[in-house]
Amino acid sequence: MSTGKVWARKIRGVGAASLAQATQSATTFLVSMLAAHLLGIEALGLFSILYGAFILAAGVTTGFVGDSLMVLNRHNDRIRSGLFAWFVVLALSLGAVGLVCSFLGTELDFIGAVLYALAAISYVAEDLVRRMHMAILSFSRIVLIDLSVMLVTGVVITGILLAGKASIDSFILAVVCGQTAGLVFGWFLLPASERQGTKRPIGWKPVAAYGFWRAALQALRPGQLTLTRIIVTAMIAMTAAGSLEIARIYAAPAALLVTGVCSYLFAHLARDSHSSVGAKLRRTDQAVLRLVGATAVCLVIGLALLPWAGPLLTGSVPSAIAVSGWLAYSMAIAVSTPYGQLAAVEHRARSVFVIRLSDSLLSILFVVGAIGMTHDYRWVPWAAALGSLAGGFSIRRFVVVALVRSDFRTSESDVQPEKATMGVPVPSLSSKEHDPS
């Protein structure tokens, strides 16, 4: 295959992955934008916390089950049954937690809390179906799934507006309907081989061994953002959380680009079992450099268009400081996420989790410090970006580089016996031959 065709194929793949991420986030953008216009800025602050919890829940199931089905052998009956069983347990558990927390910790009544629990279950289920399509690199079908979610969600919200006054409950109902539609549509778009069940013994342990650390890792960033919103609300006001959310919505295109490219990169790293770690690192370095450059361009364009595009997209002019902070945060994610994905593919998810947990706590400390010194929400994303950037450099330096060195030493040890015996390989001893018993 010629170089031009290879590049064209990569560009199409990255474009499809970015478009798939964009269409998913377009629904979030649509719902948030309508909430800002129809519910008011204070209600938007509460809704951003509730919706952020959906993303946190999806991070848990995506890491535990979604990443496992991409890295482990999902066609193995035992693994396949384990993936399904773990998803059922996690989805029901997250729904129960959502029911209790929303009823006791928010203004929702019992009916609203039940709707919220159903929304959480439907959200994580639809997200898992998207992950199944991602595992087979079917990004174009993901776009269709996301468009169906956006269409149904928009229709339900429109119907509610025509029927009467909008409320947070009505927006949650729209989420339930939209995610359920995407779930059903996405399931039937899967190839028959991906929808097959199994009655073999459930592989609880092999799925948990890999999925636990990936779930913990995937939950860190949305958990950090949710906690950040709560801190802003507690230390300043709910209106400050709403203003912060408006700035994040405006800066969302850069985050879409980063997450789209990262999802494409992870899918290919997971499928590429033949390349050395060094070769994968070079590919990851190139992706990081391109992403940093792209987010820098987004920063310049976003600030230049802010006076005109801000009111068009959000109904008001977001703070330039907050917008540039969210763009800097996207750049920090572009630096950290690809290296974490590479380490996770090489089964170092626990090491990545330790570093990411540390940088998340560091980000929270920076956020609290920034609010304490300035009492100004605009510096919050800047503070969060510092911790994430530190985490990215640490993962590359202490985890990925160590993997490259280990892989290089392993390659050298495989070659040395052949040289010592003039090309005749020395047979390796089995574990039984090493064991005196």
Short mmCIF file of all heavy atoms in Angstrom, two decimals, residues 190-245:
data_model
loop_
_atom_site.label_atom_id
_atom_site.label_comp_id
_atom_site.label_asym_id
_atom_site.label_seq_id
_atom_site.Cartn_x
_atom_site.Cartn_y
_atom_site.Cartn_z
N LEU A 190 -24.98 -4.10 15.34
CA LEU A 190 -23.80 -4.94 15.56
C LEU A 190 -23.84 -6.18 14.68
O LEU A 190 -24.92 -6.72 14.41
CB LEU A 190 -23.72 -5.37 17.03
CG LEU A 190 -23.26 -4.34 18.05
CD1 LEU A 190 -23.52 -4.86 19.46
CD2 LEU A 190 -21.78 -4.02 17.86
N PRO A 191 -22.68 -6.65 14.24
CA PRO A 191 -22.64 -7.93 13.51
C PRO A 191 -23.16 -9.06 14.41
O PRO A 191 -23.06 -8.98 15.64
CB PRO A 191 -21.15 -8.12 13.19
CG PRO A 191 -20.55 -6.76 13.28
CD PRO A 191 -21.35 -6.02 14.31
N ALA A 192 -23.70 -10.11 13.80
CA ALA A 192 -24.27 -11.21 14.56
C ALA A 192 -23.24 -11.85 15.49
O ALA A 192 -23.57 -12.28 16.60
CB ALA A 192 -24.84 -12.26 13.61
N SER A 193 -21.96 -11.89 15.05
CA SER A 193 -20.92 -12.51 15.86
C SER A 193 -20.68 -11.75 17.17
O SER A 193 -20.24 -12.34 18.16
CB SER A 193 -19.61 -12.57 15.07
OG SER A 193 -19.19 -11.28 14.68
N GLU A 194 -20.97 -10.44 17.17
CA GLU A 194 -20.76 -9.64 18.38
C GLU A 194 -21.96 -9.70 19.32
O GLU A 194 -21.85 -9.31 20.48
CB GLU A 194 -20.50 -8.17 17.99
CG GLU A 194 -19.27 -7.95 17.15
CD GLU A 194 -17.98 -8.24 17.92
OE1 GLU A 194 -17.98 -8.10 19.16
OE2 GLU A 194 -16.98 -8.62 17.28
N ARG A 195 -23.10 -10.20 18.83
CA ARG A 195 -24.31 -10.25 19.66
C ARG A 195 -24.58 -11.64 20.23
O ARG A 195 -25.56 -11.85 20.92
CB ARG A 195 -25.53 -9.80 18.83
CG ARG A 195 -25.51 -8.31 18.52
CD ARG A 195 -26.81 -7.85 17.87
NE ARG A 195 -26.82 -8.10 16.43
CZ ARG A 195 -27.66 -8.91 15.80
NH1 ARG A 195 -28.56 -9.59 16.48
NH2 ARG A 195 -27.61 -9.05 14.49
N GLN A 196 -23.72 -12.56 19.93
CA GLN A 196 -23.93 -13.93 20.38
C GLN A 196 -23.68 -14.05 21.89
O GLN A 196 -22.72 -13.51 22.41
CB GLN A 196 -23.00 -14.89 19.64
CG GLN A 196 -23.36 -15.08 18.17
CD GLN A 196 -22.41 -16.00 17.45
OE1 GLN A 196 -21.39 -16.39 18.00
NE2 GLN A 196 -22.74 -16.37 16.22
N GLY A 197 -24.57 -14.77 22.55
CA GLY A 197 -24.39 -15.04 23.98
C GLY A 197 -23.66 -16.34 24.20
O GLY A 197 -23.25 -17.03 23.26
N THR A 198 -23.49 -16.72 25.46
CA THR A 198 -22.82 -17.96 25.79
C THR A 198 -23.34 -18.48 27.12
O THR A 198 -23.75 -17.69 27.99
CB THR A 198 -21.29 -17.77 25.88
OG1 THR A 198 -20.68 -19.00 26.29
CG2 THR A 198 -20.93 -16.68 26.88
N LYS A 199 -23.35 -19.79 27.28
CA LYS A 199 -23.80 -20.40 28.52
C LYS A 199 -22.63 -21.02 29.30
O LYS A 199 -22.83 -21.77 30.25
CB LYS A 199 -24.85 -21.48 28.22
CG LYS A 199 -26.11 -20.92 27.58
CD LYS A 199 -27.12 -22.03 27.33
CE LYS A 199 -28.40 -21.46 26.70
NZ LYS A 199 -29.40 -22.52 26.42
N ARG A 200 -21.41 -20.73 28.87
CA ARG A 200 -20.24 -21.27 29.56
C ARG A 200 -20.10 -20.67 30.95
O ARG A 200 -20.71 -19.65 31.27
CB ARG A 200 -18.99 -20.97 28.73
CG ARG A 200 -18.94 -21.70 27.39
CD ARG A 200 -18.82 -23.20 27.61
NE ARG A 200 -18.79 -23.91 26.34
CZ ARG A 200 -17.67 -24.18 25.67
NH1 ARG A 200 -16.51 -23.75 26.14
NH2 ARG A 200 -17.71 -24.86 24.55
N PRO A 201 -19.27 -21.27 31.83
CA PRO A 201 -19.03 -20.68 33.16
C PRO A 201 -18.56 -19.23 33.05
O PRO A 201 -17.80 -18.87 32.15
CB PRO A 201 -17.93 -21.58 33.73
CG PRO A 201 -18.11 -22.89 33.02
CD PRO A 201 -18.57 -22.54 31.64
N ILE A 202 -19.04 -18.43 33.98
CA ILE A 202 -18.75 -16.99 33.93
C ILE A 202 -17.32 -16.71 34.35
O ILE A 202 -16.88 -17.16 35.41
CB ILE A 202 -19.72 -16.22 34.85
CG1 ILE A 202 -21.16 -16.42 34.36
CG2 ILE A 202 -19.38 -14.74 34.90
CD1 ILE A 202 -22.20 -15.82 35.28
N GLY A 203 -16.61 -15.96 33.53
CA GLY A 203 -15.22 -15.61 33.84
C GLY A 203 -15.14 -14.34 34.66
O GLY A 203 -14.71 -13.29 34.15
N TRP A 204 -15.51 -14.45 35.93
CA TRP A 204 -15.49 -13.27 36.79
C TRP A 204 -14.06 -12.73 36.97
O TRP A 204 -13.82 -11.54 36.83
CB TRP A 204 -16.07 -13.60 38.17
CG TRP A 204 -17.52 -13.98 38.18
CD1 TRP A 204 -18.04 -15.24 38.25
CD2 TRP A 204 -18.64 -13.09 38.15
NE1 TRP A 204 -19.42 -15.20 38.25
CE2 TRP A 204 -19.81 -13.90 38.20
CE3 TRP A 204 -18.78 -11.71 38.09
CZ2 TRP A 204 -21.09 -13.36 38.19
CZ3 TRP A 204 -20.05 -11.16 38.08
CH2 TRP A 204 -21.18 -11.96 38.14
N LYS A 205 -13.13 -13.62 37.29
CA LYS A 205 -11.78 -13.20 37.67
C LYS A 205 -10.98 -12.59 36.52
O LYS A 205 -10.37 -11.53 36.70
CB LYS A 205 -11.03 -14.38 38.29
CG LYS A 205 -11.53 -14.76 39.67
CD LYS A 205 -10.67 -15.86 40.29
CE LYS A 205 -11.16 -16.20 41.70
NZ LYS A 205 -10.33 -17.26 42.33
N PRO A 206 -10.92 -13.22 35.34
CA PRO A 206 -10.09 -12.62 34.29
C PRO A 206 -10.57 -11.24 33.85
O PRO A 206 -9.76 -10.38 33.53
CB PRO A 206 -10.17 -13.64 33.14
CG PRO A 206 -11.36 -14.48 33.44
CD PRO A 206 -11.47 -14.51 34.92
N VAL A 207 -11.88 -11.04 33.85
CA VAL A 207 -12.41 -9.72 33.48
C VAL A 207 -12.10 -8.71 34.58
O VAL A 207 -11.66 -7.58 34.31
CB VAL A 207 -13.93 -9.79 33.22
CG1 VAL A 207 -14.50 -8.40 32.98
CG2 VAL A 207 -14.22 -10.69 32.03
N ALA A 208 -12.30 -9.12 35.83
CA ALA A 208 -12.04 -8.21 36.95
C ALA A 208 -10.57 -7.86 37.07
O ALA A 208 -10.21 -6.73 37.43
CB ALA A 208 -12.55 -8.82 38.25
N ALA A 209 -9.69 -8.83 36.77
CA ALA A 209 -8.26 -8.60 36.91
C ALA A 209 -7.79 -7.45 36.03
O ALA A 209 -6.93 -6.65 36.43
CB ALA A 209 -7.48 -9.87 36.56
N TYR A 210 -8.35 -7.36 34.84
CA TYR A 210 -7.99 -6.23 33.96
C TYR A 210 -8.93 -5.05 34.14
O TYR A 210 -8.51 -3.89 34.18
CB TYR A 210 -8.02 -6.68 32.49
CG TYR A 210 -7.62 -5.57 31.55
CD1 TYR A 210 -6.28 -5.28 31.32
CD2 TYR A 210 -8.57 -4.78 30.91
CE1 TYR A 210 -5.90 -4.25 30.47
CE2 TYR A 210 -8.21 -3.75 30.06
CZ TYR A 210 -6.87 -3.50 29.84
OH TYR A 210 -6.51 -2.47 29.01
N GLY A 211 -10.22 -5.33 34.26
CA GLY A 211 -11.21 -4.27 34.24
C GLY A 211 -11.23 -3.39 35.47
O GLY A 211 -11.58 -2.21 35.37
N PHE A 212 -10.85 -3.93 36.64
CA PHE A 212 -10.94 -3.14 37.87
C PHE A 212 -10.12 -1.86 37.78
O PHE A 212 -10.62 -0.76 38.05
CB PHE A 212 -10.49 -3.97 39.07
CG PHE A 212 -10.46 -3.19 40.35
CD1 PHE A 212 -11.62 -2.98 41.08
CD2 PHE A 212 -9.27 -2.63 40.81
CE1 PHE A 212 -11.60 -2.25 42.26
CE2 PHE A 212 -9.24 -1.90 41.98
CZ PHE A 212 -10.40 -1.71 42.71
N TRP A 213 -8.87 -1.99 37.37
CA TRP A 213 -7.99 -0.82 37.32
C TRP A 213 -8.37 0.12 36.20
O TRP A 213 -8.23 1.34 36.31
CB TRP A 213 -6.54 -1.26 37.21
CG TRP A 213 -6.07 -1.99 38.43
CD1 TRP A 213 -5.82 -3.32 38.55
CD2 TRP A 213 -5.85 -1.42 39.73
NE1 TRP A 213 -5.45 -3.62 39.85
CE2 TRP A 213 -5.46 -2.46 40.59
CE3 TRP A 213 -5.95 -0.12 40.24
CZ2 TRP A 213 -5.17 -2.25 41.92
CZ3 TRP A 213 -5.66 0.09 41.58
CH2 TRP A 213 -5.27 -0.97 42.40
N ARG A 214 -8.86 -0.43 35.08
CA ARG A 214 -9.30 0.43 34.00
C ARG A 214 -10.56 1.21 34.41
O ARG A 214 -10.71 2.38 34.07
CB ARG A 214 -9.59 -0.39 32.74
CG ARG A 214 -8.37 -0.82 31.97
CD ARG A 214 -7.55 0.36 31.50
NE ARG A 214 -8.26 1.15 30.48
CZ ARG A 214 -7.84 2.33 30.07
NH1 ARG A 214 -6.77 2.89 30.59
NH2 ARG A 214 -8.52 2.99 29.13
N ALA A 215 -11.45 0.56 35.14
CA ALA A 215 -12.65 1.25 35.60
C ALA A 215 -12.28 2.37 36.57
O ALA A 215 -12.81 3.49 36.49
CB ALA A 215 -13.60 0.26 36.29
N ALA A 216 -11.39 2.05 37.50
CA ALA A 216 -10.94 3.07 38.45
C ALA A 216 -10.28 4.23 37.72
O ALA A 216 -10.50 5.40 38.06
CB ALA A 216 -9.97 2.44 39.45
N LEU A 217 -9.51 3.90 36.70
CA LEU A 217 -8.82 4.94 35.93
C LEU A 217 -9.80 5.79 35.13
O LEU A 217 -9.72 7.03 35.11
CB LEU A 217 -7.80 4.28 35.00
CG LEU A 217 -6.95 5.20 34.13
CD1 LEU A 217 -6.11 6.12 34.98
CD2 LEU A 217 -6.06 4.37 33.20
N GLN A 218 -10.75 5.13 34.46
CA GLN A 218 -11.72 5.84 33.65
C GLN A 218 -12.62 6.74 34.49
O GLN A 218 -13.14 7.76 34.00
CB GLN A 218 -12.60 4.84 32.87
CG GLN A 218 -11.88 4.13 31.75
CD GLN A 218 -11.84 4.95 30.47
OE1 GLN A 218 -11.92 6.17 30.49
NE2 GLN A 218 -11.73 4.28 29.34
N ALA A 219 -12.82 6.37 35.75
CA ALA A 219 -13.71 7.16 36.61
C ALA A 219 -13.02 8.40 37.17
O ALA A 219 -13.70 9.31 37.67
CB ALA A 219 -14.22 6.29 37.75
N LEU A 220 -11.70 8.46 37.10
CA LEU A 220 -10.98 9.54 37.76
C LEU A 220 -11.30 10.91 37.17
O LEU A 220 -11.63 11.85 37.90
CB LEU A 220 -9.46 9.29 37.67
CG LEU A 220 -8.90 8.28 38.68
CD1 LEU A 220 -7.41 8.09 38.44
CD2 LEU A 220 -9.15 8.76 40.10
N ARG A 221 -11.20 11.04 35.84
CA ARG A 221 -11.38 12.38 35.26
C ARG A 221 -12.82 12.88 35.40
O ARG A 221 -13.01 14.02 35.86
CB ARG A 221 -10.92 12.39 33.80
CG ARG A 221 -10.99 13.79 33.17
CD ARG A 221 -10.18 13.88 31.89
NE ARG A 221 -8.75 13.88 32.16
CZ ARG A 221 -7.89 13.00 31.66
NH1 ARG A 221 -8.32 12.04 30.88
NH2 ARG A 221 -6.61 13.07 31.95
N PRO A 222 -13.86 12.10 35.03
CA PRO A 222 -15.21 12.60 35.27
C PRO A 222 -15.51 12.78 36.76
O PRO A 222 -16.24 13.69 37.15
CB PRO A 222 -16.12 11.53 34.64
CG PRO A 222 -15.28 10.32 34.47
CD PRO A 222 -13.88 10.83 34.27
N GLY A 223 -14.92 11.92 37.61
CA GLY A 223 -15.09 12.10 39.04
C GLY A 223 -14.46 13.40 39.52
O GLY A 223 -15.02 14.12 40.36
N GLN A 224 -13.28 13.69 38.98
CA GLN A 224 -12.60 14.94 39.32
C GLN A 224 -13.43 16.15 38.89
O GLN A 224 -13.57 17.13 39.65
CB GLN A 224 -11.24 14.98 38.64
CG GLN A 224 -10.48 16.29 38.79
CD GLN A 224 -9.33 16.39 37.82
OE1 GLN A 224 -8.65 15.41 37.53
NE2 GLN A 224 -9.10 17.59 37.28
N LEU A 225 -14.00 16.10 37.68
CA LEU A 225 -14.80 17.22 37.20
C LEU A 225 -16.08 17.39 38.01
O LEU A 225 -16.50 18.51 38.31
CB LEU A 225 -15.13 17.01 35.72
CG LEU A 225 -13.96 17.14 34.74
CD1 LEU A 225 -14.41 16.82 33.32
CD2 LEU A 225 -13.35 18.53 34.80
N THR A 226 -16.71 16.27 38.37
CA THR A 226 -17.92 16.35 39.19
C THR A 226 -17.61 16.94 40.55
O THR A 226 -18.34 17.81 41.05
CB THR A 226 -18.54 14.95 39.36
OG1 THR A 226 -18.90 14.43 38.07
CG2 THR A 226 -19.78 15.00 40.23
N LEU A 227 -16.50 16.49 41.16
CA LEU A 227 -16.10 17.04 42.45
C LEU A 227 -15.74 18.53 42.33
O LEU A 227 -16.05 19.32 43.23
CB LEU A 227 -14.92 16.25 43.01
CG LEU A 227 -14.40 16.66 44.40
CD1 LEU A 227 -15.53 16.58 45.42
CD2 LEU A 227 -13.24 15.77 44.81
N THR A 228 -15.13 18.89 41.21
CA THR A 228 -14.79 20.30 40.98
C THR A 228 -16.04 21.16 40.93
O THR A 228 -16.10 22.24 41.53
CB THR A 228 -14.00 20.46 39.67
OG1 THR A 228 -12.76 19.75 39.77
CG2 THR A 228 -13.72 21.92 39.36
N ARG A 229 -17.08 20.68 40.24
CA ARG A 229 -18.35 21.43 40.18
C ARG A 229 -18.96 21.59 41.57
O ARG A 229 -19.49 22.64 41.92
CB ARG A 229 -19.33 20.72 39.24
CG ARG A 229 -18.89 20.70 37.77
CD ARG A 229 -19.95 20.01 36.92
NE ARG A 229 -19.58 19.99 35.52
CZ ARG A 229 -19.21 18.90 34.85
NH1 ARG A 229 -19.16 17.73 35.48
NH2 ARG A 229 -18.90 18.96 33.57
N ILE A 230 -18.89 20.51 42.36
CA ILE A 230 -19.44 20.56 43.71
C ILE A 230 -18.65 21.56 44.56
O ILE A 230 -19.23 22.34 45.34
CB ILE A 230 -19.42 19.16 44.35
CG1 ILE A 230 -20.38 18.22 43.60
CG2 ILE A 230 -19.80 19.23 45.83
CD1 ILE A 230 -20.30 16.78 44.06
N ILE A 231 -17.33 21.58 44.41
CA ILE A 231 -16.50 22.51 45.18
C ILE A 231 -16.80 23.96 44.79
O ILE A 231 -16.92 24.84 45.66
CB ILE A 231 -15.00 22.20 44.94
CG1 ILE A 231 -14.63 20.87 45.60
CG2 ILE A 231 -14.12 23.32 45.47
CD1 ILE A 231 -13.24 20.39 45.28
N VAL A 232 -16.95 24.21 43.49
CA VAL A 232 -17.29 25.56 43.03
C VAL A 232 -18.63 25.98 43.61
O VAL A 232 -18.80 27.12 44.08
CB VAL A 232 -17.31 25.62 41.49
CG1 VAL A 232 -17.88 26.95 41.00
CG2 VAL A 232 -15.91 25.42 40.93
N THR A 233 -19.60 25.07 43.61
CA THR A 233 -20.93 25.38 44.16
C THR A 233 -20.84 25.68 45.65
O THR A 233 -21.45 26.63 46.15
CB THR A 233 -21.89 24.21 43.92
OG1 THR A 233 -22.00 23.97 42.51
CG2 THR A 233 -23.26 24.51 44.48
N ALA A 234 -20.05 24.87 46.38
CA ALA A 234 -19.98 25.03 47.83
C ALA A 234 -19.18 26.26 48.23
O ALA A 234 -19.55 26.97 49.19
CB ALA A 234 -19.36 23.78 48.45
N MET A 235 -18.09 26.56 47.51
CA MET A 235 -17.20 27.65 47.92
C MET A 235 -17.60 29.00 47.33
O MET A 235 -17.24 30.05 47.87
CB MET A 235 -15.76 27.32 47.52
CG MET A 235 -15.16 26.14 48.24
SD MET A 235 -13.41 25.85 47.85
CE MET A 235 -12.66 27.31 48.62
N ILE A 236 -18.35 28.98 46.19
CA ILE A 236 -18.76 30.24 45.59
C ILE A 236 -20.29 30.29 45.53
O ILE A 236 -20.93 30.88 46.39
CB ILE A 236 -18.14 30.43 44.18
CG1 ILE A 236 -16.61 30.27 44.25
CG2 ILE A 236 -18.49 31.81 43.63
CD1 ILE A 236 -15.92 30.40 42.91
N ALA A 237 -20.86 29.67 44.49
CA ALA A 237 -22.32 29.67 44.36
C ALA A 237 -22.71 28.75 43.21
O ALA A 237 -21.89 28.40 42.36
CB ALA A 237 -22.86 31.08 44.11
N MET A 238 -23.99 28.36 43.17
CA MET A 238 -24.48 27.55 42.06
C MET A 238 -24.38 28.30 40.75
O MET A 238 -24.13 27.70 39.69
CB MET A 238 -25.92 27.14 42.33
CG MET A 238 -26.50 26.17 41.30
SD MET A 238 -25.75 24.53 41.36
CE MET A 238 -26.59 23.86 42.80
N THR A 239 -24.58 29.61 40.79
CA THR A 239 -24.47 30.41 39.56
C THR A 239 -23.04 30.37 39.01
O THR A 239 -22.85 30.41 37.79
CB THR A 239 -24.88 31.86 39.82
OG1 THR A 239 -24.12 32.38 40.93
CG2 THR A 239 -26.35 31.96 40.14
N ALA A 240 -22.04 30.30 39.88
CA ALA A 240 -20.65 30.19 39.43
C ALA A 240 -20.43 28.87 38.71
O ALA A 240 -19.73 28.81 37.69
CB ALA A 240 -19.70 30.33 40.61
N ALA A 241 -21.03 27.79 39.24
CA ALA A 241 -20.93 26.49 38.57
C ALA A 241 -21.59 26.54 37.20
O ALA A 241 -21.10 25.94 36.22
CB ALA A 241 -21.56 25.40 39.42
N GLY A 242 -22.70 27.28 37.10
CA GLY A 242 -23.36 27.43 35.80
C GLY A 242 -22.51 28.21 34.82
O GLY A 242 -22.40 27.86 33.65
N SER A 243 -21.88 29.30 35.28
CA SER A 243 -21.00 30.10 34.41
C SER A 243 -19.80 29.29 33.96
O SER A 243 -19.34 29.38 32.81
CB SER A 243 -20.54 31.36 35.16
OG SER A 243 -21.64 32.17 35.51
N LEU A 244 -19.26 28.48 34.87
CA LEU A 244 -18.13 27.61 34.53
C LEU A 244 -18.55 26.59 33.47
O LEU A 244 -17.78 26.28 32.54
CB LEU A 244 -17.64 26.89 35.78
CG LEU A 244 -16.38 26.03 35.65
CD1 LEU A 244 -15.17 26.89 35.30
CD2 LEU A 244 -16.12 25.25 36.93
N GLU A 245 -19.78 26.09 33.58
CA GLU A 245 -20.28 25.11 32.62
C GLU A 245 -20.48 25.75 31.25
O GLU A 245 -20.21 25.12 30.21
CB GLU A 245 -21.60 24.52 33.12
CG GLU A 245 -22.15 23.38 32.27
CD GLU A 245 -21.28 22.14 32.32
OE1 GLU A 245 -20.37 22.05 33.17
OE2 GLU A 245 -21.51 21.24 31.47
#
